């Protein structure tokens, strides 16, 4: 649930008006409030309001409420946006986004609004007299607030850079900028500044158990985990403005070392963050159930509440299983479709499959009905797992968006250790196997053998991240930093073609499934992992399974992807028109 809404309303007004006052010479506007920097940063309570206002831009439709979380991360070899290409969300998913796309302007604007609010807090909080001369409690709290906004700014910039590449990167509030028409900054320099900031932030912030707050606010563990993530982006591949090609800088090992060191320290602090014992419980109870995560596996998540497009999320309404409006749960789902190849990337005994993917819909009668293989849906945010008595609206259910989990820490550690040591160490294997073992509900005999060479272990990590983080907005960006997105898209289309024909490694996939209802639940006659020659069975309903894969469907996956272009989005036309120093790059 959302951080205190009253805080957000009050500080949203205060900071907005402060910004107008500060920019008076440029905007030629009169102040419309008595709030100014001196009032907002006069005491700990007001400074807290200001920082919560910087959090505010994380939530709502224009950021992690739907667009950054559910539109931008697709298509990949994991999931795809449902429907045919358009100049909206499907244009992004099919890599046909234009500067006038209706879905790319508002996230850009909201991210920069979040940065401006964070910049103001970063500038003003250390200048407060209490920061140096206050009581021990006041100094501690102000340092915590300072660490939070340093981390928030880094998160906002990470989202801008991984979607748009080199971007304008002001590090001071607007009233201190000599020229508001800011040019693009080299992302390496921005990353380096933010990675340094996150080191400062982690020193300022308390550990989770010291903060006494839920994971909707940033603590030391979250800042360290996000620093590791950003270091891997800085050490990974990205599309370069100068050469128009995907490149990795020669100093990448420096940043893998940062990632390795931060994650290693977190692994030593299991009193703060660790894995939940059950993957099913993690998502059914602590995510869709809107219950606090006691293990701290969800290290930082975006709070959602209030029932509005500005403060809540569409998780569980836009995505998740399809639910008829007349069902007991209300309408929702269907916006994201896992690929058939992703469904079969899971072993049948991997419990993550039936959490990450749903192959049912709920009818008006409350009976479940199966989905065809190309119309299965994602499943980590489910309206039918949520207590219907909790507050919410038809479209906003208060589901939080997890930014980073402890399983990511374990797998980042394994990846960095493998890269730096030229192969997996015992510690890297242990971290990898801890995640994998939970995927099999603790049954180590089902995991298979962990590879021991560098290349094979990297491939195992890449596959494990695919299985572990499905539907969490991570896979596409992993593939980009590894320079594997183009490769995996082509592999996926080839694999779908083999599955359509029932040949090669997909010869076991049945053409049809036969089913009927057992109460409200679905009962299948035949296995999803064994072929069948039957075309009809008395008393059972036939469902197209492999039969539902068509040539048109295969070509629609990431349909217009162009290597060395589509890894990034175009800048929206309104931003280009407003800033004469901003120009389009990367082939747009």
């Amino acid at each position: 649930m959302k951080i205190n809404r009253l805080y957000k309303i009050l500080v949203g007004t205060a900071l907005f008006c402060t910004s107008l006052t500060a920019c008076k010479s440029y905007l030629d506007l009169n102040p419309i409030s008595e709030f100014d920097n001196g009032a907002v940063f006069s005491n700990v309570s007001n400074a807290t309001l200001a920082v919560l206002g910087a959090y505010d831009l994380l939530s709502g439709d224009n950021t992690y409420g739907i667009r950054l979380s559910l539109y931008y991360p697709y298509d990949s070899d994991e999931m795809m946006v449902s429907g045919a290409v358009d100049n909206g969300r499907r244009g992004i998913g099919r890599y046909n986004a234009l500067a006038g796309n209706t879905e790319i302007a508002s996230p850009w604007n909201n991210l920069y609004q979040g940065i401006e609010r964070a910049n103001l807090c970063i500038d003003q909080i250390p200048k407060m007299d209490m920061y140096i001369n206050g009581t021990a409690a006041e100094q501690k709290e102000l340092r915590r607030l300072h660490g939070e906004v340093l981390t928030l700014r880094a998160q906002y910039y990470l989202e801008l850079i991984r979607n748009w590449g080199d971007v304008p990167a002001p590090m001071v509030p607007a009233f201190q900028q000599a020229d508001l028409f800011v040019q693009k900054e080299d992302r390496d320099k921005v990353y380096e500044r933010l990675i340094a900031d996150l080191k400062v932030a982690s020193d300022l912030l308390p550990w989770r158990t010291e903060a006494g707050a839920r994971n909707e606010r940033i603590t030391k563990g979250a800042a360290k985990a996000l620093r590791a993530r950003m270091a891997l982006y800085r050490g990974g591949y990205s599309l370069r403005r100068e050469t128009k090609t995907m490149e990795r800088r020669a100093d990448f090992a420096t940043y893998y070392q940062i990632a390795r060191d931060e994650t290693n320290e977190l692994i030593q602090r299991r009193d703060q963050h660790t894995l939940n014992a059950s993957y099913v419980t993690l998502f059914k109870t602590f995510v869709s159930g809107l219950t606090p995560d006691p293990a701290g596996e969800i290290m930082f998540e975006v709070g959602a509440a209030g029932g509005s497009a500005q403060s809540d999320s569409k998780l569980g309404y836009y995505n998740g299983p399809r639910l008829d409006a007349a069902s007991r749960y209300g309408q929702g789902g269907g916006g994201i479709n896992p690929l058939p190849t992703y469904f079969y990337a899971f072993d049948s005994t991997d419990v993550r499959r039936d959490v990450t993917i749903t192959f049912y819909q709920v009818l008006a009668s409350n009976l479940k009905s199966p989905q065809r293989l190309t119309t299965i849906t994602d499943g980590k945010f489910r309206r039918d797992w949520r207590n219907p008595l909790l507050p919410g609206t038809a479209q906003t259910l208060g589901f939080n968006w997890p930014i980073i989990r402890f399983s990511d820490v374990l797998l980042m550690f394994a990846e960095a250790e493998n890269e730096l040591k030229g192969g997996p160490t015992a510690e890297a294997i242990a971290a990898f196997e801890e995640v994998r073992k939970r995927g099999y509900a603790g049954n180590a005999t089902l995991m298979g053998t962990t590879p021991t060479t560098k290349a094979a272990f990297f491939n195992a990590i890449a596959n494990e991240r695919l299985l572990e983080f499905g539907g969490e907005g991570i896979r596409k960006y992993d593939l980009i930093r590894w320079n594997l997105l183009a490769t995996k898209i082509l592999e996926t289309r080839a694999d779908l073609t083999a599955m359509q024909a029932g040949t090669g490694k997909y010869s076991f996939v049945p053409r049809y499934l036969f089913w009927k209802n057992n109460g409200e639940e679905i009962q299948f006659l035949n296995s999803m992992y064994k072929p069948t020659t039957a075309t009809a069975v008395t008393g059972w309903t036939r469902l197209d399974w492999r039969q539902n894969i068509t040539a048109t469907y295969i070509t629609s996956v990431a349909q217009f992807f162009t290597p060395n272009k589509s890894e990034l989005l175009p800048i929206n036309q309104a931003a280009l028109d407003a800033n004469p120093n901003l120009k389009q790059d990367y082939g747009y």
Side-chain angles (χ1 to χ4, degrees):
M1 300 298 287
K2 193 77 167 185
I3 296 169
N4 193 310
R5 284 290 300 154
L6 178 59
Y7 280 1
K8 292 166 59 60
I9 293 168
L10 289 174
V11 78
T13 303
L15 279 177
F16 176 67
C17 298
T18 299
S19 179
L20 288 180
T21 304
C23 298
K24 186 184 176 200
S25 61
Y26 173 62
L27 297 174
D28 195 26
L29 291 173
N30 293 320
I32 59 173
S33 170
E34 296 179 359
F35 286 106
D36 59 16
N37 288 345
V40 172
F41 298 99
S42 61
N43 55 54
V44 173
S45 295
N46 285 356
T48 300
L49 288 174
V51 171
L52 294 179
Y55 275 96
D56 191 32
L57 277 301
L58 292 171
S59 59
D61 285 3
N62 292 326
T63 41
Y64 296 106
I66 188 167
R67 287 179 173 84
L68 295 181
S69 54
L70 303 181
Y71 293 177
Y72 283 29
Y74 308 105
D75 296 353
S76 71
D77 63 343
E78 169 203 19
M79 301 188 187
M80 64 189 295
V81 176
S82 65
V85 67
D86 58 15
N87 195 32
R89 61 184 177 86
R90 299 179 187 92
I92 295 170
R94 303 294 181 269
Y95 299 96
N96 194 40
L98 306 174
N101 188 296
T102 57
E103 304 295 351
I104 63 175
S106 293
W108 169 281
N109 293 337
N110 274 37
L111 291 168
Y112 275 111
Q113 288 176 41
I115 288 166
E116 172 61 16
R117 292 187 182 187
N119 279 342
L120 188 60
C121 293
I122 291 166
D123 177 70
Q124 293 291 313
I125 289 174
K127 295 177 181 177
M128 294 172 64
D129 180 67
M130 293 180 202
Y131 197 85
I132 302 297
N133 300 318
T135 66
E138 289 169 337
Q139 291 184 43
K140 181 180 180 181
E141 188 60 25
L142 289 176
R143 281 158 173 72
R144 175 188 179 184
L145 295 172
H146 189 194
E148 287 180 88
V149 287
L150 285 169
T151 308
L152 280 170
R153 181 172 69 180
Q155 179 64 29
Y156 286 129
Y157 270 124
L158 175 59
E159 203 64 69
L160 282 163
I161 292 170
R162 72 180 188 170
N163 283 295
W164 285 280
D166 294 344
V167 295
M171 295 293 175
V172 296
F175 76 91
Q176 294 183 1
Q177 296 172 34
D179 185 357
L180 293 178
F181 297 126
V182 184
Q183 298 184 30
K184 289 183 178 180
E185 183 66 77
D186 180 84
R187 77 198 66 171
D188 291 342
K189 295 179 181 178
V190 181
Y191 274 143
E192 288 156 16
R193 167 69 182 271
L194 299 174
I195 288 168
D197 284 348
L198 286 169
K199 176 64 172 69
V200 173
S202 66
D203 291 340
L204 293 169
L205 287 161
W207 285 105
R208 167 178 167 262
T209 57
E210 298 167 347
R214 289 182 55 174
N215 49 4
E216 294 168 349
R217 285 185 66 177
I218 293 161
T219 55
K220 187 186 294 288
K224 295 175 80 64
L226 291 170
R227 187 170 188 252
R229 174 179 283 178
M230 184 169 285
L232 289 181
Y233 277 107
R234 170 59 178 83
Y237 287 84
S238 58
L239 180 56
R240 296 294 172 174
R241 196 163 26 133
E242 303 83 5
T243 62
K244 306 293 191 296
T245 57
M246 294 288 293
E247 296 178 2
R248 182 168 73 168
R249 297 306 193 212
D251 61 354
F252 69 90
T254 299
Y255 297 94
Y256 273 76
Q257 187 68 51
I258 291 171
R260 186 265 175 206
D261 291 345
E262 291 287 13
T263 52
N264 182 57
E265 183 174 339
L266 287 167
I267 289 170
Q268 310 312 312
R269 294 302 306 265
R270 296 306 184 97
D271 58 318
Q272 300 298 326
H273 301 282
T274 194
L275 291 187
N276 280 280
S278 168
Y279 194 84
V280 177
T281 300
L282 174 65
F283 286 96
K284 188 171 185 178
T285 301
F286 303 134
V287 174
S288 292
L290 305 182
T291 303
D293 165 27
E297 176 172 350
I298 301 173
M299 304 176 78
F300 176 45
E301 61 184 341
V302 176
S308 76
Q310 289 73 44
S311 67
D312 215 313
S313 79
K314 297 296 195 307
L315 298 168
Y317 171 75
Y318 169 76
N319 66 326
R322 293 177 179 85
L323 309 172
D324 191 278
S327 72
R328 68 168 65 95
Y329 310 107
Q331 184 177 359
I336 297 175
N337 298 139
L339 299 174
T341 46
Y342 183 50
F343 180 90
Y344 282 108
F346 290 93
D347 184 88
S348 62
T349 59
D350 191 329
V351 299
R352 293 173 295 190
R353 188 199 70 182
D354 291 351
V355 172
T356 307
I357 300 173
T358 57
F359 45 80
Y360 66 83
Q361 61 181 328
V362 180
L363 307 177
S365 61
N366 296 313
L367 294 177
K368 289 183 178 178
S369 174
Q371 297 283 276
R372 296 171 296 176
L373 186 53
T374 62
T375 58
I376 54 179
T377 50
D378 68 315
K380 287 179 175 174
F381 307 92
R382 302 193 197 188
R383 191 174 193 136
D384 55 322
W385 275 355
R386 180 184 183 273
N387 183 343
L389 299 179
L390 290 172
T393 71
Q395 297 187 14
T396 56
L397 306 173
F399 285 152
N400 288 355
W401 177 252
I403 294 287
I404 196 160
R405 296 196 283 113
F406 187 73
S407 57
D408 206 345
V409 169
L410 291 167
L411 293 177
M412 286 192 293
F413 171 79
E415 179 184 346
E417 183 88 341
N418 183 58
E419 181 66 39
L420 293 166
K421 301 296 177 62
T425 60
E427 293 79 9
I429 290 172
F432 167 81
E433 289 187 344
E434 185 176 351
V435 176
R436 186 161 178 79
K437 183 178 178 181
R438 184 181 65 170
Y440 290 90
N443 190 339
T445 64
L446 299 174
M447 294 193 311
T449 303
T450 300
T452 56
T453 65
K454 180 182 179 182
F457 190 66
F458 168 78
N459 289 336
I461 290 170
N463 187 66
E464 200 64 24
R465 291 182 67 85
L466 171 69
L467 303 176
E468 176 71 16
F469 302 119
E472 295 181 61
I474 291 175
R475 180 61 173 182
K476 186 178 87 169
Y477 301 107
D478 273 349
L479 293 178
I480 290 171
R481 69 181 177 86
W482 296 327
N483 195 22
L484 288 175
L485 182 56
T487 298
K488 290 297 184 181
I489 287 171
L490 291 176
E491 285 181 3
T492 297
R493 292 175 186 156
D495 285 347
L496 285 168
T497 300
M499 189 181 294
Q500 179 192 26
T503 59
K505 62 183 178 180
Y506 296 109
S507 60
F508 66 88
V509 179
R511 184 181 297 275
Y512 306 110
L513 294 176
F514 297 91
W515 70 279
K516 62 182 177 181
N517 282 117
N518 184 355
E520 293 182 354
E521 299 299 318
I522 300 166
Q523 178 181 347
F524 288 105
L525 175 65
N526 57 316
S527 170
M528 296 174 177
Y529 292 84
K530 293 180 181 179
T532 179
T533 58
T535 58
V537 179
T538 302
W540 296 80
T541 301
R542 190 179 79 181
L543 175 75
D544 287 352
W545 193 242
R546 177 169 61 81
Q547 175 71 17
N548 190 236
I549 302 173
T550 65
T552 299
Y553 171 82
I554 294 169
T555 58
S556 73
V557 177
Q559 186 172 359
F560 297 99
F561 181 84
T562 303
N564 299 310
K565 173 186 176 182
S566 302
E567 292 85 0
L568 295 172
L569 291 169
I571 296 173
N572 69 90
Q573 191 61 48
L576 294 171
D577 294 342
N579 184 351
N581 290 325
L582 197 58
K583 66 176 184 177
Q584 207 72 271
D585 287 299
Y586 315 112
Y588 287 105

